[in-house]
Structure formats: structure tokens, C-alpha cells
Amino acid sequence: MKISSGKVDSGNLIDIAARRLDHELWYGIPEFQTEIMMLASLKHQNVVSIVKFCHEDEENIIIYNYEAKGSLEQYLSDPVTLTWTQRLHICLGIARALSYIHYDKQCSFSVIHRDVKSSMILLSDKWEAKLSGFELSTMQPTAKRHISVKHI
């Protein structure tokens, strides 16, 4: 998966990050389609936003809103950049995102993310946490949202 950044004009100029599917890596078409389906269905301030996508012939690209601070992973071992208050704020943001994808009453399904880690938590220019990386996620009907999933 190749990641690039740039700007898109959709009425106003916005910063974007684009991920292009590399057919030689493990990440394939089913995961690409899962991520698009998940992000198109989920709208929350702490979930990364999809802007557009392309799924034609050999071209598979997802365009997201650009999160200026990158991933949480790069800051965890640096005691200076993030204060404990900021770290707590990030934790609460991700807890809100997880609560939303698991238990939102407006949704007819629940999402099991299956890959939550610091590299999947993106940070906006205001240090707001955004959950990303939905390619391994699964959907469950709301009636089954409390059933455990075990993959062997």
C-alpha cells in the first residue's frame, strides 16, 4: 500500500492522504472493499473520514482526510511531545470511536475492528484521535453484537 498526500478541490481545498493498493502485498481486493464499506457507513468525529475512492480495473485508491500529526505510534516513546492530559484526551477519543462502532443505536450493525494499535490511531492537527485501519474489520448484526468472535 502506497500512501501519498496532497490536496483535493471539492468546492473548497482540503488536505488528503491517498492509499493505493499494491497488488504484490498481502492487502488485497477483499480488504480494500471491506475498508471502503466500513468507512462509507461510519460517520463519527473519532473515526477517519473517507473522501473518495477509485475501484476500476487495476486501480484501487482510497482518499481520506489528511490527519496532520500522523499516527500515535510515533509519539508514544517521546515523553515531551504528548502531555499526560493529551494522552488521556487521545484515549477518550479512541474509546468514543470504539463505543460508536460497537454500540451505536442508530446503526443496524456493529463493527469489530480486529486491528486496534497505535499505528491505526491517527492524530489531527489539534491532536484529536481518529481510528483508522478498517481493512480487517467485520460487521455483526446488532442482535449478535455481544457474541465473541474467534478465528483459528
Side-chain angles (χ1 to χ4, degrees):
M1 186 67 60
K2 297 174 183 172
I3 301 174
S4 302
S5 61
K7 295 185 182 291
V8 169
D9 187 359
S10 58
N12 59 336
L13 209 55
I14 59 170
D15 293 320
I16 57 103
R19 286 181 35 185
R20 184 176 185 204
L21 179 66
D22 184 347
H23 294 283
E24 295 176 14
L25 297 178
W26 69 270
Y27 182 92
I29 298 298
E31 291 85 3
F32 178 85
Q33 292 171 332
T34 298
E35 186 165 14
I36 290 170
M37 184 176 62
M38 294 292 171
L39 292 177
S41 303
L42 301 171
K43 304 291 180 218
H44 188 271
Q45 67 185 20
N46 296 109
V47 174
V48 73
S49 298
I50 188 171
V51 176
K52 303 263 184 195
F53 69 92
C54 172
H55 181 56
E56 290 181 11
D57 302 323
E58 296 295 313
E59 213 49 75
N60 297 288
I61 301 169
I62 302 176
I63 299 174
Y64 310 87
N65 280 331
Y66 179 73
E67 303 306 339
K69 300 292 186 189
S71 76
L72 176 61
E73 180 179 44
Q74 66 196 44
Y75 299 102
L76 288 179
S77 61
D78 177 7
V80 177
T81 305
L82 288 178
T83 66
W84 282 106
T85 303
Q86 286 173 306
R87 290 170 189 253
L88 180 59
H89 183 75
I90 291 167
C91 289
L92 289 172
I94 293 305
R96 286 185 195 104
L98 291 171
S99 177
Y100 168 74
I101 69 172
H102 287 260
Y103 303 112
D104 184 55
K105 292 183 182 356
Q106 305 301 319
C107 256
S108 61
F109 61 89
S110 289
V111 174
I112 300 171
H113 190 281
R114 297 174 51 193
D115 198 24
V116 177
K117 55 189 174 189
S118 59
S119 62
M120 298 298 176
I121 299 170
L122 302 180
L123 301 168
S124 74
D125 58 342
K126 296 179 181 173
W127 298 98
E128 291 292 328
K130 309 280 185 167
L131 185 59
S132 71
F134 285 84
E135 57 270 11
L136 299 178
S137 299
T138 60
M139 282 186 177
Q140 294 283 339
T142 53
K144 295 184 178 183
R145 68 173 32 143
H146 297 291
I147 296 174
S148 294
V149 176
K150 182 178 179 182
H151 292 278
I152 299 174

